[in-house]
Short mmCIF file of all heavy atoms in Angstrom, two decimals:
data_model
loop_
_atom_site.label_atom_id
_atom_site.label_comp_id
_atom_site.label_asym_id
_atom_site.label_seq_id
_atom_site.Cartn_x
_atom_site.Cartn_y
_atom_site.Cartn_z
N MET A 1 -46.90 -3.73 1.44
CA MET A 1 -45.53 -3.82 0.92
C MET A 1 -44.58 -4.15 2.13
O MET A 1 -44.59 -3.66 3.17
CB MET A 1 -45.25 -2.45 0.37
CG MET A 1 -44.00 -2.51 -0.61
SD MET A 1 -43.63 -0.93 -1.40
CE MET A 1 -41.89 -1.02 -1.38
N LYS A 2 -43.70 -5.20 1.76
CA LYS A 2 -42.81 -5.67 2.75
C LYS A 2 -41.64 -4.62 2.93
O LYS A 2 -41.20 -4.01 1.96
CB LYS A 2 -42.09 -6.99 2.34
CG LYS A 2 -42.93 -8.15 2.77
CD LYS A 2 -42.11 -9.45 2.89
CE LYS A 2 -41.21 -9.62 1.66
NZ LYS A 2 -40.52 -10.99 1.66
N PRO A 3 -41.21 -4.37 4.14
CA PRO A 3 -40.05 -3.41 4.31
C PRO A 3 -38.79 -4.14 3.85
O PRO A 3 -38.62 -5.33 4.01
CB PRO A 3 -40.06 -3.26 5.88
CG PRO A 3 -40.78 -4.47 6.41
CD PRO A 3 -41.76 -4.86 5.50
N MET A 4 -37.91 -3.28 3.40
CA MET A 4 -36.64 -3.84 3.00
C MET A 4 -35.85 -4.40 4.15
O MET A 4 -35.78 -3.73 5.16
CB MET A 4 -35.81 -2.80 2.28
CG MET A 4 -36.24 -2.43 0.94
SD MET A 4 -35.91 -3.77 -0.33
CE MET A 4 -36.73 -3.06 -1.82
N PRO A 5 -35.17 -5.57 3.98
CA PRO A 5 -34.43 -6.09 5.11
C PRO A 5 -33.15 -5.21 5.33
O PRO A 5 -32.62 -4.77 4.42
CB PRO A 5 -34.00 -7.50 4.67
CG PRO A 5 -34.07 -7.43 3.16
CD PRO A 5 -35.20 -6.42 2.79
N LYS A 6 -32.69 -5.09 6.63
CA LYS A 6 -31.50 -4.42 6.91
C LYS A 6 -30.31 -5.29 6.55
O LYS A 6 -30.30 -6.48 7.03
CB LYS A 6 -31.43 -3.95 8.32
CG LYS A 6 -32.51 -2.96 8.60
CD LYS A 6 -31.87 -1.61 9.01
CE LYS A 6 -32.81 -0.42 8.93
NZ LYS A 6 -33.42 -0.08 10.14
N ILE A 7 -29.45 -4.73 5.83
CA ILE A 7 -28.21 -5.54 5.46
C ILE A 7 -26.99 -4.68 5.80
O ILE A 7 -27.04 -3.53 5.92
CB ILE A 7 -28.24 -6.04 3.98
CG1 ILE A 7 -28.27 -4.81 3.03
CG2 ILE A 7 -29.24 -7.03 3.70
CD1 ILE A 7 -27.83 -5.02 1.63
N LYS A 8 -25.80 -5.45 5.81
CA LYS A 8 -24.60 -4.63 5.98
C LYS A 8 -23.99 -4.32 4.63
O LYS A 8 -23.80 -5.15 3.76
CB LYS A 8 -23.57 -5.60 6.71
CG LYS A 8 -23.14 -5.03 8.07
CD LYS A 8 -21.98 -5.99 8.61
CE LYS A 8 -22.24 -6.41 10.01
NZ LYS A 8 -21.26 -7.38 10.49
N CYS A 9 -23.51 -3.07 4.54
CA CYS A 9 -22.76 -2.74 3.29
C CYS A 9 -21.43 -3.46 3.27
O CYS A 9 -20.71 -3.56 4.27
CB CYS A 9 -22.39 -1.13 3.39
SG CYS A 9 -21.27 -0.66 2.04
N PRO A 10 -21.26 -4.20 2.15
CA PRO A 10 -20.09 -5.19 2.06
C PRO A 10 -18.78 -4.26 2.28
O PRO A 10 -17.68 -4.88 2.61
CB PRO A 10 -20.15 -5.76 0.76
CG PRO A 10 -21.54 -5.60 0.30
CD PRO A 10 -22.03 -4.34 0.95
N THR A 11 -18.72 -3.14 1.93
CA THR A 11 -17.54 -2.35 1.97
C THR A 11 -17.22 -1.68 3.31
O THR A 11 -16.18 -1.75 3.89
CB THR A 11 -17.54 -1.29 0.89
OG1 THR A 11 -17.70 -1.78 -0.35
CG2 THR A 11 -16.25 -0.41 0.86
N CYS A 12 -18.22 -0.88 3.86
CA CYS A 12 -17.94 -0.11 5.05
C CYS A 12 -18.69 -0.71 6.27
O CYS A 12 -18.51 -0.19 7.34
CB CYS A 12 -18.35 1.31 4.87
SG CYS A 12 -20.05 1.58 4.73
N LYS A 13 -19.48 -1.75 6.03
CA LYS A 13 -20.14 -2.45 7.16
C LYS A 13 -21.16 -1.67 7.89
O LYS A 13 -21.72 -2.08 8.83
CB LYS A 13 -19.13 -2.93 8.25
CG LYS A 13 -17.90 -3.58 7.68
CD LYS A 13 -18.23 -4.88 6.85
CE LYS A 13 -16.91 -5.50 6.34
NZ LYS A 13 -17.09 -6.33 5.13
N GLN A 14 -21.63 -0.55 7.29
CA GLN A 14 -22.83 0.18 7.86
C GLN A 14 -24.05 -0.65 7.60
O GLN A 14 -24.19 -1.25 6.54
CB GLN A 14 -22.96 1.53 7.04
CG GLN A 14 -22.24 2.67 7.73
CD GLN A 14 -22.71 4.01 7.29
OE1 GLN A 14 -23.62 4.52 7.87
NE2 GLN A 14 -22.05 4.40 6.27
N VAL A 15 -24.93 -0.59 8.57
CA VAL A 15 -26.15 -1.38 8.47
C VAL A 15 -27.29 -0.49 8.04
O VAL A 15 -27.40 0.67 8.55
CB VAL A 15 -26.55 -2.01 9.78
CG1 VAL A 15 -27.87 -2.74 9.67
CG2 VAL A 15 -25.45 -3.10 10.17
N GLY A 16 -28.07 -0.93 7.05
CA GLY A 16 -29.18 -0.11 6.57
C GLY A 16 -29.99 -0.91 5.54
O GLY A 16 -29.63 -2.05 5.16
N ASP A 17 -31.07 -0.28 5.03
CA ASP A 17 -31.88 -1.04 4.07
C ASP A 17 -31.33 -0.64 2.57
O ASP A 17 -32.06 -0.15 1.81
CB ASP A 17 -33.30 -0.63 4.17
CG ASP A 17 -33.57 0.78 4.12
OD1 ASP A 17 -32.69 1.61 4.19
OD2 ASP A 17 -34.78 1.28 4.02
N TRP A 18 -30.10 -1.12 2.48
CA TRP A 18 -29.37 -0.68 1.27
C TRP A 18 -29.98 -1.27 -0.12
O TRP A 18 -29.82 -0.79 -1.16
CB TRP A 18 -27.80 -1.04 1.22
CG TRP A 18 -27.19 -0.70 2.54
CD1 TRP A 18 -26.40 -1.34 3.32
CD2 TRP A 18 -27.24 0.65 3.10
NE1 TRP A 18 -25.97 -0.60 4.37
CE2 TRP A 18 -26.41 0.64 4.30
CE3 TRP A 18 -27.80 1.90 2.81
CZ2 TRP A 18 -26.18 1.75 5.16
CZ3 TRP A 18 -27.66 3.05 3.60
CH2 TRP A 18 -26.89 2.91 4.73
N PHE A 19 -30.56 -2.49 0.05
CA PHE A 19 -31.24 -3.07 -1.17
C PHE A 19 -32.33 -2.14 -1.70
O PHE A 19 -32.61 -2.18 -2.89
CB PHE A 19 -31.90 -4.47 -0.73
CG PHE A 19 -31.00 -5.60 -0.93
CD1 PHE A 19 -30.80 -6.49 0.12
CD2 PHE A 19 -30.22 -5.69 -2.03
CE1 PHE A 19 -29.88 -7.57 0.03
CE2 PHE A 19 -29.32 -6.87 -2.12
CZ PHE A 19 -29.23 -7.73 -1.07
N GLY A 20 -32.89 -1.23 -0.98
CA GLY A 20 -33.88 -0.37 -1.44
C GLY A 20 -33.25 0.91 -2.12
O GLY A 20 -33.95 1.65 -2.74
N GLY A 21 -31.91 1.07 -1.95
CA GLY A 21 -31.34 2.22 -2.57
C GLY A 21 -30.89 2.02 -4.01
O GLY A 21 -31.07 0.99 -4.56
N ASP A 22 -30.17 2.98 -4.52
CA ASP A 22 -29.71 2.97 -5.88
C ASP A 22 -28.47 2.01 -6.08
O ASP A 22 -28.20 1.67 -7.14
CB ASP A 22 -29.34 4.31 -6.44
CG ASP A 22 -30.60 5.24 -6.56
OD1 ASP A 22 -31.68 4.64 -6.59
OD2 ASP A 22 -30.46 6.50 -6.62
N HIS A 23 -27.89 1.79 -4.90
CA HIS A 23 -26.54 1.08 -5.11
C HIS A 23 -26.51 -0.23 -4.34
O HIS A 23 -25.45 -0.82 -4.13
CB HIS A 23 -25.40 2.01 -4.57
CG HIS A 23 -25.42 3.45 -5.19
ND1 HIS A 23 -25.15 3.59 -6.54
CD2 HIS A 23 -25.80 4.52 -4.73
CE1 HIS A 23 -25.30 4.88 -6.78
NE2 HIS A 23 -25.80 5.49 -5.63
N GLY A 24 -27.66 -0.75 -3.97
CA GLY A 24 -27.73 -2.01 -3.24
C GLY A 24 -26.92 -3.08 -3.96
O GLY A 24 -26.79 -3.19 -5.06
N PRO A 25 -26.26 -3.89 -3.04
CA PRO A 25 -26.40 -3.99 -1.61
C PRO A 25 -25.42 -2.99 -0.90
O PRO A 25 -25.08 -3.09 0.31
CB PRO A 25 -25.92 -5.44 -1.30
CG PRO A 25 -24.98 -5.76 -2.31
CD PRO A 25 -25.38 -4.99 -3.56
N PHE A 26 -24.81 -2.08 -1.75
CA PHE A 26 -23.90 -1.15 -1.09
C PHE A 26 -24.64 0.12 -0.54
O PHE A 26 -25.69 0.42 -1.11
CB PHE A 26 -22.84 -0.68 -2.07
CG PHE A 26 -21.91 -1.89 -2.59
CD1 PHE A 26 -22.33 -2.50 -3.75
CD2 PHE A 26 -20.94 -2.41 -1.78
CE1 PHE A 26 -21.62 -3.64 -4.18
CE2 PHE A 26 -20.19 -3.47 -2.20
CZ PHE A 26 -20.54 -4.12 -3.41
N CYS A 27 -24.08 0.84 0.40
CA CYS A 27 -24.81 1.93 0.98
C CYS A 27 -24.71 3.18 0.08
O CYS A 27 -25.47 4.10 0.15
CB CYS A 27 -24.22 2.23 2.33
SG CYS A 27 -22.58 2.99 2.35
N SER A 28 -23.63 3.13 -0.80
CA SER A 28 -23.39 4.32 -1.62
C SER A 28 -22.62 4.01 -2.85
O SER A 28 -22.02 2.88 -3.03
CB SER A 28 -22.55 5.39 -0.82
OG SER A 28 -21.29 4.87 -0.49
N ARG A 29 -22.59 4.84 -3.85
CA ARG A 29 -21.80 4.66 -4.99
C ARG A 29 -20.30 4.46 -4.73
O ARG A 29 -19.75 3.68 -5.38
CB ARG A 29 -21.97 5.86 -5.93
CG ARG A 29 -21.40 5.75 -7.30
CD ARG A 29 -21.89 6.83 -8.21
NE ARG A 29 -21.20 6.78 -9.52
CZ ARG A 29 -20.02 7.48 -9.74
NH1 ARG A 29 -19.54 8.24 -8.87
NH2 ARG A 29 -19.49 7.29 -10.99
N ARG A 30 -19.84 5.22 -3.73
CA ARG A 30 -18.46 5.23 -3.48
C ARG A 30 -18.13 3.77 -2.99
O ARG A 30 -17.11 3.13 -3.43
CB ARG A 30 -18.16 6.10 -2.31
CG ARG A 30 -16.67 6.21 -2.01
CD ARG A 30 -16.44 6.91 -0.64
NE ARG A 30 -15.41 6.37 0.08
CZ ARG A 30 -15.47 5.37 1.03
NH1 ARG A 30 -16.66 4.92 1.25
NH2 ARG A 30 -14.55 4.85 1.59
N CYS A 31 -18.95 3.22 -2.06
CA CYS A 31 -18.65 1.89 -1.52
C CYS A 31 -18.73 0.77 -2.72
O CYS A 31 -17.98 -0.17 -2.62
CB CYS A 31 -19.68 1.43 -0.47
SG CYS A 31 -19.15 2.34 1.10
N ARG A 32 -19.58 0.96 -3.64
CA ARG A 32 -19.71 -0.02 -4.63
C ARG A 32 -18.40 0.10 -5.55
O ARG A 32 -17.92 -0.91 -5.90
CB ARG A 32 -20.91 0.34 -5.58
CG ARG A 32 -21.30 -0.75 -6.55
CD ARG A 32 -22.42 -0.46 -7.36
NE ARG A 32 -22.38 0.79 -8.16
CZ ARG A 32 -23.22 1.12 -9.07
NH1 ARG A 32 -24.23 0.32 -9.35
NH2 ARG A 32 -23.03 2.33 -9.65
N LEU A 33 -17.98 1.25 -5.92
CA LEU A 33 -16.72 1.43 -6.64
C LEU A 33 -15.58 0.84 -5.97
O LEU A 33 -14.65 0.23 -6.53
CB LEU A 33 -16.58 2.84 -7.03
CG LEU A 33 -17.60 3.43 -8.03
CD1 LEU A 33 -17.36 4.92 -8.37
CD2 LEU A 33 -17.64 2.69 -9.34
N VAL A 34 -15.54 1.11 -4.72
CA VAL A 34 -14.37 0.58 -3.92
C VAL A 34 -14.32 -0.96 -4.01
O VAL A 34 -13.37 -1.56 -4.15
CB VAL A 34 -14.57 0.98 -2.42
CG1 VAL A 34 -13.53 0.19 -1.54
CG2 VAL A 34 -14.24 2.51 -2.29
N ASP A 35 -15.53 -1.54 -3.84
CA ASP A 35 -15.61 -3.02 -3.98
C ASP A 35 -15.14 -3.43 -5.31
O ASP A 35 -14.44 -4.41 -5.35
CB ASP A 35 -16.98 -3.51 -3.61
CG ASP A 35 -16.98 -5.00 -3.40
OD1 ASP A 35 -16.56 -5.41 -2.36
OD2 ASP A 35 -17.46 -5.76 -4.39
N LEU A 36 -15.63 -2.91 -6.39
CA LEU A 36 -15.20 -3.27 -7.71
C LEU A 36 -13.74 -3.17 -7.93
O LEU A 36 -13.08 -4.04 -8.53
CB LEU A 36 -15.98 -2.45 -8.79
CG LEU A 36 -17.50 -2.74 -8.86
CD1 LEU A 36 -18.19 -1.80 -9.77
CD2 LEU A 36 -17.73 -4.16 -9.34
N GLY A 37 -13.18 -2.11 -7.34
CA GLY A 37 -11.77 -1.89 -7.51
C GLY A 37 -10.99 -3.00 -6.84
O GLY A 37 -9.85 -3.26 -7.22
N GLU A 38 -11.52 -3.51 -5.72
CA GLU A 38 -10.84 -4.59 -5.01
C GLU A 38 -11.02 -5.94 -5.64
O GLU A 38 -10.37 -6.84 -5.15
CB GLU A 38 -11.30 -4.62 -3.56
CG GLU A 38 -10.87 -3.38 -2.84
CD GLU A 38 -11.39 -3.47 -1.45
OE1 GLU A 38 -12.10 -4.37 -1.06
OE2 GLU A 38 -11.00 -2.69 -0.64
N TRP A 39 -11.80 -6.00 -6.63
CA TRP A 39 -12.24 -7.29 -7.19
C TRP A 39 -10.93 -8.03 -7.74
O TRP A 39 -10.81 -9.22 -7.69
CB TRP A 39 -13.28 -7.08 -8.33
CG TRP A 39 -13.60 -8.44 -8.89
CD1 TRP A 39 -13.24 -8.97 -10.03
CD2 TRP A 39 -14.46 -9.39 -8.27
NE1 TRP A 39 -13.86 -10.27 -10.19
CE2 TRP A 39 -14.62 -10.48 -9.08
CE3 TRP A 39 -15.18 -9.49 -7.01
CZ2 TRP A 39 -15.42 -11.59 -8.79
CZ3 TRP A 39 -15.87 -10.54 -6.72
CH2 TRP A 39 -16.03 -11.60 -7.60
N PHE A 40 -10.02 -7.26 -8.12
CA PHE A 40 -8.78 -7.89 -8.75
C PHE A 40 -7.59 -8.11 -7.72
O PHE A 40 -6.55 -8.60 -8.13
CB PHE A 40 -8.24 -7.09 -9.94
CG PHE A 40 -9.29 -7.01 -11.01
CD1 PHE A 40 -10.01 -5.79 -11.16
CD2 PHE A 40 -9.46 -8.00 -11.88
CE1 PHE A 40 -10.99 -5.69 -12.09
CE2 PHE A 40 -10.50 -7.92 -12.88
CZ PHE A 40 -11.24 -6.79 -12.99
N ASN A 41 -7.87 -7.82 -6.48
CA ASN A 41 -6.84 -7.95 -5.48
C ASN A 41 -6.83 -9.47 -5.15
O ASN A 41 -7.65 -10.28 -5.48
CB ASN A 41 -7.17 -7.23 -4.23
CG ASN A 41 -6.94 -5.79 -4.38
OD1 ASN A 41 -6.34 -5.39 -5.35
ND2 ASN A 41 -7.29 -4.98 -3.39
N GLU A 42 -5.68 -9.72 -4.54
CA GLU A 42 -5.42 -11.21 -4.21
C GLU A 42 -6.48 -11.89 -3.37
O GLU A 42 -6.91 -13.01 -3.68
CB GLU A 42 -4.12 -11.28 -3.35
CG GLU A 42 -2.95 -10.92 -4.03
CD GLU A 42 -2.49 -12.08 -5.01
OE1 GLU A 42 -2.82 -13.19 -4.79
OE2 GLU A 42 -1.80 -11.70 -6.04
N GLU A 43 -7.12 -11.15 -2.39
CA GLU A 43 -8.02 -11.77 -1.50
C GLU A 43 -9.34 -12.12 -2.21
O GLU A 43 -10.08 -12.98 -1.75
CB GLU A 43 -8.27 -10.98 -0.26
CG GLU A 43 -8.80 -9.47 -0.54
CD GLU A 43 -8.95 -8.69 0.61
OE1 GLU A 43 -8.87 -9.35 1.72
OE2 GLU A 43 -9.17 -7.57 0.63
N HIS A 44 -9.65 -11.51 -3.39
CA HIS A 44 -10.84 -11.87 -4.08
C HIS A 44 -10.55 -12.99 -5.02
O HIS A 44 -11.60 -13.70 -5.46
CB HIS A 44 -11.34 -10.68 -4.88
CG HIS A 44 -12.19 -9.72 -3.94
ND1 HIS A 44 -11.61 -8.62 -3.48
CD2 HIS A 44 -13.46 -9.75 -3.57
CE1 HIS A 44 -12.58 -8.00 -2.68
NE2 HIS A 44 -13.67 -8.70 -2.75
N ARG A 45 -9.33 -13.27 -5.44
CA ARG A 45 -9.10 -14.36 -6.38
C ARG A 45 -9.41 -15.66 -5.86
O ARG A 45 -9.74 -16.53 -6.51
CB ARG A 45 -7.61 -14.22 -6.83
CG ARG A 45 -7.44 -13.76 -8.20
CD ARG A 45 -5.92 -13.75 -8.51
NE ARG A 45 -5.64 -12.37 -9.03
CZ ARG A 45 -4.30 -11.98 -9.01
NH1 ARG A 45 -3.37 -12.70 -8.59
NH2 ARG A 45 -4.03 -10.77 -9.47
N ILE A 46 -9.27 -15.85 -4.48
CA ILE A 46 -9.53 -17.16 -4.04
C ILE A 46 -11.02 -17.49 -3.90
O ILE A 46 -11.37 -18.64 -3.70
CB ILE A 46 -8.81 -17.30 -2.64
CG1 ILE A 46 -9.34 -16.30 -1.56
CG2 ILE A 46 -7.34 -17.31 -2.68
CD1 ILE A 46 -8.96 -16.48 -0.27
N SER A 47 -11.85 -16.49 -4.04
CA SER A 47 -13.34 -16.72 -3.87
C SER A 47 -13.99 -16.82 -5.20
O SER A 47 -15.07 -16.54 -5.36
CB SER A 47 -13.87 -15.48 -3.05
OG SER A 47 -13.76 -14.32 -3.74
N GLU A 48 -13.29 -17.30 -6.17
CA GLU A 48 -13.93 -17.56 -7.46
C GLU A 48 -14.99 -18.74 -7.27
O GLU A 48 -14.75 -19.61 -6.47
CB GLU A 48 -12.96 -17.85 -8.49
CG GLU A 48 -12.26 -19.24 -8.38
CD GLU A 48 -11.32 -19.58 -9.57
OE1 GLU A 48 -11.81 -19.62 -10.55
OE2 GLU A 48 -10.18 -19.75 -9.32
N PRO A 49 -16.04 -18.79 -8.06
CA PRO A 49 -17.09 -19.81 -7.83
C PRO A 49 -16.51 -21.18 -8.29
O PRO A 49 -15.66 -21.23 -9.20
CB PRO A 49 -18.16 -19.37 -8.79
CG PRO A 49 -17.70 -18.21 -9.56
CD PRO A 49 -16.43 -17.79 -9.08
N LEU A 50 -17.01 -22.17 -7.65
CA LEU A 50 -16.55 -23.58 -7.96
C LEU A 50 -17.14 -23.87 -9.24
O LEU A 50 -18.30 -23.68 -9.59
CB LEU A 50 -17.03 -24.46 -6.89
CG LEU A 50 -16.23 -24.43 -5.51
CD1 LEU A 50 -16.97 -25.34 -4.52
CD2 LEU A 50 -14.83 -24.94 -5.73
N ARG A 51 -16.25 -24.60 -10.04
CA ARG A 51 -16.71 -25.14 -11.37
C ARG A 51 -16.55 -26.59 -11.40
O ARG A 51 -15.77 -27.10 -10.60
CB ARG A 51 -15.93 -24.41 -12.49
CG ARG A 51 -16.31 -23.04 -12.60
CD ARG A 51 -15.67 -22.42 -13.98
NE ARG A 51 -14.30 -22.57 -14.06
CZ ARG A 51 -13.48 -21.56 -13.76
NH1 ARG A 51 -13.90 -20.46 -13.23
NH2 ARG A 51 -12.17 -21.77 -13.71
N PRO A 52 -17.16 -27.36 -12.23
CA PRO A 52 -17.01 -28.83 -12.32
C PRO A 52 -15.53 -29.31 -12.37
O PRO A 52 -15.25 -30.29 -11.82
CB PRO A 52 -17.81 -29.24 -13.57
CG PRO A 52 -18.80 -28.11 -13.73
CD PRO A 52 -18.17 -26.88 -13.29
N GLU A 53 -14.70 -28.57 -13.11
CA GLU A 53 -13.34 -29.05 -13.21
C GLU A 53 -12.63 -29.07 -11.88
O GLU A 53 -11.57 -29.70 -11.70
CB GLU A 53 -12.53 -28.33 -14.31
CG GLU A 53 -12.50 -26.81 -14.06
CD GLU A 53 -13.55 -26.14 -14.92
OE1 GLU A 53 -14.65 -26.70 -15.06
OE2 GLU A 53 -13.28 -25.03 -15.40
N HIS A 54 -13.09 -28.31 -10.91
CA HIS A 54 -12.42 -28.30 -9.65
C HIS A 54 -12.60 -29.69 -8.91
O HIS A 54 -11.87 -29.99 -8.06
CB HIS A 54 -13.09 -27.24 -8.75
CG HIS A 54 -12.72 -25.86 -9.19
ND1 HIS A 54 -13.59 -24.80 -9.11
CD2 HIS A 54 -11.47 -25.35 -9.65
CE1 HIS A 54 -12.90 -23.68 -9.65
NE2 HIS A 54 -11.70 -24.03 -9.96
N PHE A 55 -13.60 -30.49 -9.37
CA PHE A 55 -13.88 -31.71 -8.74
C PHE A 55 -13.23 -32.84 -9.51
O PHE A 55 -13.41 -33.99 -9.19
CB PHE A 55 -15.38 -31.94 -8.64
CG PHE A 55 -15.98 -30.92 -7.74
CD1 PHE A 55 -16.72 -29.93 -8.25
CD2 PHE A 55 -15.84 -31.08 -6.41
CE1 PHE A 55 -17.32 -28.95 -7.49
CE2 PHE A 55 -16.43 -30.07 -5.52
CZ PHE A 55 -17.14 -28.92 -5.99
N SER A 56 -12.59 -32.55 -10.59
CA SER A 56 -11.86 -33.75 -11.39
C SER A 56 -10.83 -34.37 -10.53
O SER A 56 -10.18 -33.69 -9.75
CB SER A 56 -11.33 -33.18 -12.63
OG SER A 56 -10.19 -32.24 -12.27
N GLY A 57 -10.92 -35.74 -10.56
CA GLY A 57 -10.10 -36.48 -9.68
C GLY A 57 -10.75 -36.94 -8.47
O GLY A 57 -10.34 -37.85 -7.74
N PHE A 58 -11.90 -36.45 -8.16
CA PHE A 58 -12.74 -36.90 -7.00
C PHE A 58 -13.86 -37.80 -7.46
O PHE A 58 -14.32 -38.58 -6.63
CB PHE A 58 -13.30 -35.73 -6.29
CG PHE A 58 -12.33 -34.85 -5.56
CD1 PHE A 58 -11.89 -33.68 -6.01
CD2 PHE A 58 -11.76 -35.29 -4.32
CE1 PHE A 58 -10.92 -32.92 -5.41
CE2 PHE A 58 -10.91 -34.50 -3.68
CZ PHE A 58 -10.42 -33.38 -4.19
N GLU A 59 -14.25 -37.81 -8.70
CA GLU A 59 -15.45 -38.47 -9.08
C GLU A 59 -15.19 -40.03 -9.19
O GLU A 59 -16.04 -40.78 -9.16
CB GLU A 59 -16.02 -38.07 -10.50
CG GLU A 59 -14.98 -38.26 -11.70
CD GLU A 59 -14.29 -36.88 -11.94
OE1 GLU A 59 -14.21 -36.03 -11.04
OE2 GLU A 59 -13.86 -36.76 -13.09
N ASP A 60 -13.90 -40.47 -9.18
CA ASP A 60 -13.52 -41.83 -9.19
C ASP A 60 -13.49 -42.46 -7.83
O ASP A 60 -13.35 -43.68 -7.68
CB ASP A 60 -12.20 -42.11 -9.90
CG ASP A 60 -12.30 -41.82 -11.38
OD1 ASP A 60 -13.37 -41.85 -11.97
OD2 ASP A 60 -11.32 -41.51 -12.05
N LEU A 61 -13.58 -41.73 -6.74
CA LEU A 61 -13.64 -42.20 -5.42
C LEU A 61 -14.79 -43.17 -5.20
O LEU A 61 -15.90 -42.83 -5.54
CB LEU A 61 -13.67 -41.16 -4.36
CG LEU A 61 -12.40 -40.29 -4.24
CD1 LEU A 61 -12.66 -39.08 -3.30
CD2 LEU A 61 -11.22 -41.12 -3.70
N PRO A 62 -14.55 -44.27 -4.52
CA PRO A 62 -15.74 -45.18 -4.40
C PRO A 62 -16.55 -44.65 -3.18
O PRO A 62 -16.01 -44.08 -2.29
CB PRO A 62 -15.02 -46.53 -3.91
CG PRO A 62 -13.66 -46.15 -3.43
CD PRO A 62 -13.22 -44.96 -4.24
N PRO A 63 -17.81 -44.82 -3.31
CA PRO A 63 -18.65 -44.45 -2.23
C PRO A 63 -18.50 -45.29 -1.04
O PRO A 63 -18.20 -46.47 -1.08
CB PRO A 63 -20.19 -44.58 -2.75
CG PRO A 63 -19.97 -45.66 -3.79
CD PRO A 63 -18.56 -45.55 -4.47
N GLY A 64 -18.60 -44.76 0.12
CA GLY A 64 -18.42 -45.55 1.35
C GLY A 64 -18.47 -44.77 2.56
O GLY A 64 -18.35 -43.54 2.55
N ASP A 65 -18.52 -45.49 3.70
CA ASP A 65 -18.66 -44.86 4.96
C ASP A 65 -17.36 -44.28 5.48
O ASP A 65 -17.36 -43.45 6.36
CB ASP A 65 -19.05 -45.90 6.08
CG ASP A 65 -20.48 -46.37 5.82
OD1 ASP A 65 -21.33 -45.65 5.29
OD2 ASP A 65 -20.84 -47.44 6.20
N TYR A 66 -16.25 -44.57 4.80
CA TYR A 66 -14.95 -44.15 5.25
C TYR A 66 -14.83 -42.63 5.14
O TYR A 66 -14.01 -42.00 5.87
CB TYR A 66 -13.82 -44.80 4.43
CG TYR A 66 -13.73 -44.15 3.01
CD1 TYR A 66 -12.90 -43.16 2.72
CD2 TYR A 66 -14.48 -44.71 1.92
CE1 TYR A 66 -12.76 -42.64 1.45
CE2 TYR A 66 -14.41 -44.22 0.64
CZ TYR A 66 -13.58 -43.13 0.49
OH TYR A 66 -13.35 -42.67 -0.78
N LEU A 67 -15.77 -42.05 4.41
CA LEU A 67 -15.73 -40.64 4.14
C LEU A 67 -15.95 -39.92 5.54
O LEU A 67 -15.65 -38.76 5.72
CB LEU A 67 -16.63 -40.14 3.11
CG LEU A 67 -16.23 -40.43 1.69
CD1 LEU A 67 -17.45 -40.09 0.73
CD2 LEU A 67 -15.00 -39.65 1.25
N ASP A 68 -16.70 -40.58 6.41
CA ASP A 68 -17.08 -39.99 7.61
C ASP A 68 -15.99 -40.16 8.86
O ASP A 68 -16.20 -39.74 9.90
CB ASP A 68 -18.41 -40.54 8.14
CG ASP A 68 -19.55 -40.08 7.17
OD1 ASP A 68 -19.50 -38.97 6.79
OD2 ASP A 68 -20.40 -40.95 6.91
N GLN A 69 -15.03 -40.93 8.40
CA GLN A 69 -14.09 -41.35 9.36
C GLN A 69 -12.89 -40.22 9.42
O GLN A 69 -12.71 -39.61 8.43
CB GLN A 69 -13.36 -42.68 9.19
CG GLN A 69 -14.41 -43.77 9.38
CD GLN A 69 -13.85 -45.09 8.95
OE1 GLN A 69 -12.66 -45.27 8.57
NE2 GLN A 69 -14.64 -46.19 8.96
N THR A 70 -12.30 -40.05 10.51
CA THR A 70 -11.33 -38.99 10.65
C THR A 70 -9.94 -39.41 10.15
O THR A 70 -9.07 -38.60 9.93
CB THR A 70 -11.16 -38.58 12.04
OG1 THR A 70 -10.94 -39.68 12.88
CG2 THR A 70 -12.42 -37.81 12.44
N GLU A 71 -9.62 -40.73 10.08
CA GLU A 71 -8.32 -41.19 9.61
C GLU A 71 -8.38 -41.52 8.16
O GLU A 71 -9.30 -42.15 7.66
CB GLU A 71 -8.02 -42.51 10.40
CG GLU A 71 -7.84 -42.25 11.83
CD GLU A 71 -7.38 -43.57 12.60
OE1 GLU A 71 -6.44 -44.10 12.15
OE2 GLU A 71 -8.05 -43.90 13.62
ZN1 ZN B 1 -20.77 1.54 2.51
#
């Protein structure tokens, strides 16, 4: 059996094999609830997953090497 990898608790940054616990990837129930409570804060809003409509307006760009240029 493979040992659980050590990860950092997203809330309190403690390192341990939290995936093997009841609250993985968090180290404890408290840390998991803290993170859920912060989900609606401003700093979490910007990390929403990208969706196709976020790229609308870009699909008409012609392909070309200019994309690699800095100007
Ligand atoms: Zn924690």
Side-chain angles (χ1 to χ4, degrees):
M1 197 176 142
K2 272 202 317 188
M4 286 289 175
K6 290 249 165 96
I7 57 164
K8 240 191 232 176
C9 171
T11 301
C12 71
K13 315 301 185 202
Q14 267 196 93
V15 175
D17 54 349
W18 311 132
F19 271 131
D22 290 340
H23 308 289
F26 301 95
C27 71
S28 65
R29 183 167 177 270
R30 184 193 145 271
C31 280
R32 190 177 59 165
L33 291 178
V34 166
D35 190 78
L36 289 175
E38 288 181 353
W39 184 254
F40 299 102
N41 285 354
E42 292 286 333
E43 57 181 350
H44 276 97
R45 251 180 234 161
I46 58 170
S47 61
E48 66 175 302
L50 284 174
R51 291 194 299 267
E53 57 262 36
H54 289 141
F55 296 102
S56 66
F58 290 101
E59 62 259 23
D60 290 335
L61 286 173
D65 293 332
Y66 75 94
L67 286 173
D68 293 320
Q69 294 172 4
T70 51
E71 296 179 52

